[in-house]
Amino acid sequence: MLFQDTALIYGRYLRQSLRSRFALLFGVLMPLLYLLFFGPLLTDLPLGGRGSSWQMLVPGLLLQLGLFGASFAGFSVIIEQGQGVVERMRVTPVSRLALLLGRVLRDATVFVFQAVLLVLAALAMGLRAPVPGVLIGFAFVALLTVSLASLSYALAMKVRTPQEVGPAINAMTMPMMLLSGLMLPMTLGPRWLDVLSHFVPFRYLVDAVRDAYVGSYATAHMLYGVLVALAFTALAVTVGTRVFRTAGA
């Protein structure tokens, strides 16, 4: 029943996304602008890592896509609450876990699709990366989307207006972006900033995807990245499911 319920909810929200092709394509706009206007500035700069500047930048942009996109996914729940959709779902026998999983799996599908578009654009601009590394990058995008979207939905179930969600999400995402080394490796900064960044789980995902893009798979960065991504996803889905159950959604 959980699988059937999840497939039902997933199909419902995926059809909504497919009907909004404008939003689907424009969701990748910000990372694409970084790729087009920021990437060429790094071409001849020594970035202190293995591989080309594109192999350093593109992994960060992929995870940036998941970071900002999934973090704001909860706004749709607030809209549904205002339209009475959540109230109608309360009287159905659908699993509360499926109500969450169907949503976050839809989000993961959308952002992985956008990640594919971003990588295709990067290949046209000069990115060269092994196919297994690119696929590993997509897997990290999916895990990050599931975890952050779960937390975003949980937060949205606890508030009443979008004005309450926006500041909270910005307060979380901006430090994560700045301290994870999305744009440039943190090793280029001062020692204290590099040390501080290790307390941000998001950094381990960035380092792991960058290793994958240069063909290094059996590394400490990859191990830590996988463990952090899986643990963060499990924790976020657990929190999200508990909120959906207690909120009666």
Side-chain angles (χ1 to χ4, degrees):
M1 289 299 298
L2 175 61
F3 177 80
Q4 293 176 352
D5 291 347
T6 301
L8 178 66
I9 300 300
Y10 171 79
R12 178 184 188 274
Y13 287 103
L14 184 61
R15 286 191 295 272
Q16 287 184 356
S17 297
L18 293 177
R19 286 195 294 267
S20 181
R21 296 183 179 89
F22 184 84
L24 190 64
L25 295 177
F26 269 76
V28 75
L29 181 61
M30 185 173 68
L32 187 59
L33 291 177
Y34 274 108
L35 182 71
L36 294 175
F37 300 136
F38 189 69
L41 298 176
L42 305 178
T43 302
D44 298 321
L45 295 180
L47 300 180
R50 295 171 297 166
S52 67
S53 60
W54 296 111
Q55 290 171 308
M56 299 294 292
L57 177 63
V58 173
L61 294 180
L62 289 176
L63 295 177
Q64 182 196 57
L65 181 66
L67 172 64
F68 285 99
S71 295
F72 286 93
F75 278 99
S76 62
V77 169
I78 297 178
I79 295 173
E80 288 181 347
Q81 286 178 322
Q83 296 174 342
V85 175
V86 173
E87 183 67 26
R88 290 194 294 270
M89 285 184 174
R90 290 178 178 176
V91 299
T92 68
V94 176
S95 165
R96 299 301 183 253
L97 176 58
L99 290 176
L100 175 66
L101 290 181
R103 286 177 167 91
V104 298
L105 290 178
R106 183 281 309 267
D107 295 328
T109 301
V110 169
F111 290 120
V112 168
F113 171 74
Q114 292 177 344
V116 171
L117 297 181
L118 184 64
V119 169
L120 291 177
L123 289 172
M125 296 188 67
L127 170 69
R128 296 296 178 265
V131 173
V134 173
L135 296 179
I136 289 174
F138 293 153
F140 273 99
V141 171
L143 287 174
L144 181 65
T145 299
V146 169
S147 58
L148 292 180
S150 297
L151 295 178
S152 182
Y153 288 130
L155 176 62
M157 293 294 295
K158 292 293 187 179
V159 300
R160 295 293 182 182
T161 65
Q163 289 78 9
E164 298 176 80
V165 178
I169 291 176
N170 284 328
M172 292 184 293
T173 55
M174 291 306 296
M176 291 178 66
M177 184 189 75
L178 296 173
L179 290 174
S180 61
L182 279 176
M183 298 295 103
L184 296 171
M186 294 304 298
T187 52
L188 296 178
R191 176 62 179 170
W192 67 268
L193 193 60
D194 186 29
V195 171
L196 181 62
S197 70
H198 283 88
F199 293 94
V200 179
F202 196 44
R203 167 171 179 168
Y204 298 97
L205 277 65
V206 176
D207 289 341
V209 179
R210 282 181 174 148
D211 273 12
Y213 265 59
V214 296
S216 299
Y217 311 118
T219 65
H221 286 159
M222 183 64 65
L223 175 62
Y224 293 148
V226 171
L227 292 178
V228 169
L230 292 176
F232 188 40
T233 301
L235 176 63
V237 171
T238 300
V239 171
T241 302
R242 181 172 300 178
V243 171
F244 266 66
R245 284 173 176 167
T246 56

